[in-house]
Every structure is written in C-alpha cells, then in structure tokens.
Amino acid sequence: MNFVEVRDLRVTYLGRGEPSLQVDGLEIREGESVLVLGKSGSGKSTLVNVLNGVIPGLISARVEGEVSVFGRDPRRTPVHEMATLVGTLLQDPEAQVFHHLVRDEIAFGPENFALSRKEIEGRVEESARVTGVSHLLSRETSTLSGGELQRTVLASVLALQPRALILDEPTSSIDPEGTAEILGLLRSLRRTGMSMIIVEHKVERVLPYVDRVILVDGGRIALNVEKGRLMDHVEVLSGAGVEVPEYYHYLRNHGLSRPALSGYRKSKVSRVRGERVILSGKVMVKTRDGKPLVHTSFSLREGEVVALMGRNGAGKTTLLRAIMDLLDSRLRSEVTLSLMGKDISGTRYYERGSYIAYLPQNFDVMFVRRTVEDEIRSSSRNPEIYLRLFSLEQVRKDDPLTLSFGQRRRVAMASILGRGQRVALLDEPTSGQDWYHRENLGKELRELSGRGISILVVTHDSRFVDRFCDRVMVMDAGRIVMEGTPEEVFQRGVVTPPTEYLVEAGVWNPLDG
C-alpha cells in the first residue's frame, strides 16, 4: 500500500477565486522519506495539511480530486483518527501546545485514547528520550526556548506512535546542536521504515535523510526527482527561490567530480564597521528565587548589522525582552540603557518603542488590522515600499492571520521597520523563511544599516550571518562570551559555520551525505 496517492487535487481557500494548490498526480511509497521544497506561500503547507486532514477538517477550504493516505480519505476521516496514521509537527510549535508541564503535554495524546497508565508512562519516557527532552519533563512549557518547545511537540507527536510523520520546518527554531539531534532522529526513524514528509529549507542538511525531493512552486509540483538527480536541477531550484549553496553551482559546473570539490573557494563578503555607539547597556535578569538568567553588557554601533547567536536557552530572547522592558512579571531585572548618549533606563516599553523597533518570536500577537495593507499602513511611513520589499503585494487585501507562517512573519517585519527608529531588535526573523525571502530580508537590513540604523538579529542561520552581518555576539549561559566578525567566530568553531566554510576547509564533503 502507498503512503500517499493524489489525483487531480485542487485546493481553494474561501474567498479566493483560484486554487492555491493544483496537483495532477502524486504518489509516495510506504517507507519512503520525501523532502518538500518551495518558497513561503508556494503551497507546501497546503499540501501537507490536506494529507493530514487539517484541510478541510480544521481549516476551511474546498478540496477537489482524489486523496488517499494509507487507503483512507483524510476528508472523511476525523482528524483525531488521522493523527494515529500521520503525526504532524507544525511549523509553529506553540500552536500544538495544550498543557503547562512538558510531561503532561507529551502524555496528552495517549491519554485521549484511554490507554493504560503504564502504557502512557512508557510512551512519554520513550518519546522524551529519542527527542532529547527527558531533562525537561518537569518544566513548564511556557518557560521553554523555541528549540526546546519544538522537540517537546515532536515528542508528543511520536507518543501516538503514528505510521508516518509530516514535519513542517522541524529545525526552523532550533540551534545547530538541536538540529543535529533532530536530524539524527530522522536518520533513526528512516531506518525503522517510517514514512516521512519533511518540509524544510535546509536542503544540504536534510538531503542525506530522504529518498526523493519535491519542489512546489506557484501552487504546482514543479519538480519530483530522486535525490541523486537533484544536482541536475540547480537552475530550477534557484529560480524557485530555494536555498542552493554556492558549492552546488561549483559541483554542477564540474560534473559532480570529487576532485573538483577540493578546488572550491568561498566568495568573500565585505564587512562594515561603524565607530559611533548608538545603543549600549548592561542587563541582569534573575528568577524570583535568584537564579541568574542573563548577566551581560552589549553595544551596537551606528549602521551595523549584528547577529546574536548561541544555543537555545542561552538567554538571547530574554536579553531582547529586557532591553524592551517586556519581561515576565515573575522575573527580576536591572537594566541600564544608553541611546546615543541619552540614559533611557527609566523609560517604559511604550517609550522605548519610539527609539527601538522590536520583532518578537511570537509575532502573531502584533496583528490588529483586517488586511495586510492596513497592518503595514498603520505603522509605516512608506507602506508601498515595504509591501514590495517583503513580497506582499499579491496578498495586500488578505487577513494577515490567514497567511502562511512565512508570509505572516514578513508582514510583521514590514510593520515594525518603517517607523523611523534608530535601532531594530529582531528575534529569529529568518526562522521558517525560504532563502529567497531570507536574502531579501538581508538586503533590506543592509539598506537600513546604510541609513544609520543599527540592527541586532537573533538567528541560528550561519549562512545569513555570513552574507549580511558585520559582527557576531555569541551568548552562552546568559553572558556574551565572544564577539568578532563572522569569519573570526566561524574559524574558532564557537558556532557552526555555513556549509561553504566546511567544504572549503575540507572537513565535509556534501557528496558523502
């Protein structure tokens, strides 16, 4: 039996005249692992949400054609029954969390199927072990970092012991160490013969763990090939906005010969170093019982783009929230801030917002308007510019909350960057974004920095950092432990460098998988 069989599929969302997804035919064999690529809004999430029954079970849309998942029609199968066939890790893990404690969250699914206490406890322990969250079982889910939360949700999915998995951007909010753990898990699951559909932008990292690659572009399947033939379609991937590392082109031009790889040299990136300090400060954050979370100092110079990197849970988000006076009331803090020589330590969050733009990880709470256009217009001096720069012109009349995760993030970005502030703090703006839009974001940040705006970006994306950031601050256990150019930080191995560095250094050959 095939895992997936699709014929003449057409998916049309309510209020739209044309289908958002059209698939003439698609088959995925049982036990096969497939990587699905495509730009944000291309139709990837629509495809997987049809297969797991979320569309039309939970999200209203007209679904025409034939759809079969392990012989069942998802449209006629209750969503809770589909969950035992196909487990799904959503792009936004917070949308899947129901409980306060990690242990209860993982147990939630099996409890709903009235399994015995012994069976539930066994599934919780095993799922926590394979996803690396055993040490978090007693933690509150609201206190987890993005990566910790993502692994917790994956554990809750695996606790149902589904026959197949759909993973929608499983590493988007996870640090390199956590990404390696998730990829190791994918390797193990693949060896067990579990069927998997992986929606991911990190082509070179995920490719060794899949059998086939499907490219979705403009709501249609533009490419469906075995992974061994992917290098023959580099131009198609690039044209569709998919991240293609520099060495892919090099290998393609050299006929994929291994000796040619040793001649690869990464292109150099120019760095900008401002002299005038725009924002500086000292931040100390503790829990009520005195446990230190952040204890560090920082500075941003005029017109520079700085990356803040580090493991999940290192304190990066807490640092940004402390700067903006947006900390949880249960935390204690001492914050000293100086903006262009002016002490703003005593100001509240609404005053600091006139100087500092802030994009949180949970950006959906920012939306207060009914259309994308109105959302951006209400907060930007040049709405048309930002609609164009963030590729939102075609959805300008849509409700922001009906858009894909990547599109919603771009709406939030556009709405906070046009207010004239001198500093921008961006928490994981690259998470869940395809390379086309990450590259556009990088170019826009460089343009803003050219106007003297200082930008601090929390990210795990070392390729984005290499291309668009002037400086890197590395955080560990609440302290900034290292600063330098991306080259200096990558060479010291403090954070994982982009694959181009590994290839050039001769320590990794992508052809080995």
Side-chain angles (χ1 to χ4, degrees), residues 96-102 104-106 108 111 140-142:
Q96 288 182 265
V97 174
F98 295 93
H99 282 274
H100 294 295
L101 294 180
V102 170
D104 293 340
E105 181 62 35
I106 299 174
F108 181 63
E111 285 176 342
E140 293 185 12
T141 54
S142 61

Side-chain angles (χ1 to χ4, degrees), residues 122-140:
R123 291 194 183 195
V124 169
E125 296 297 331
E126 177 63 13
S127 299
R129 182 189 65 79
V130 299
T131 54
V133 298
S134 297
H135 64 295
L136 301 174
L137 288 175
S138 298
R139 285 272 300 276
E140 293 185 12

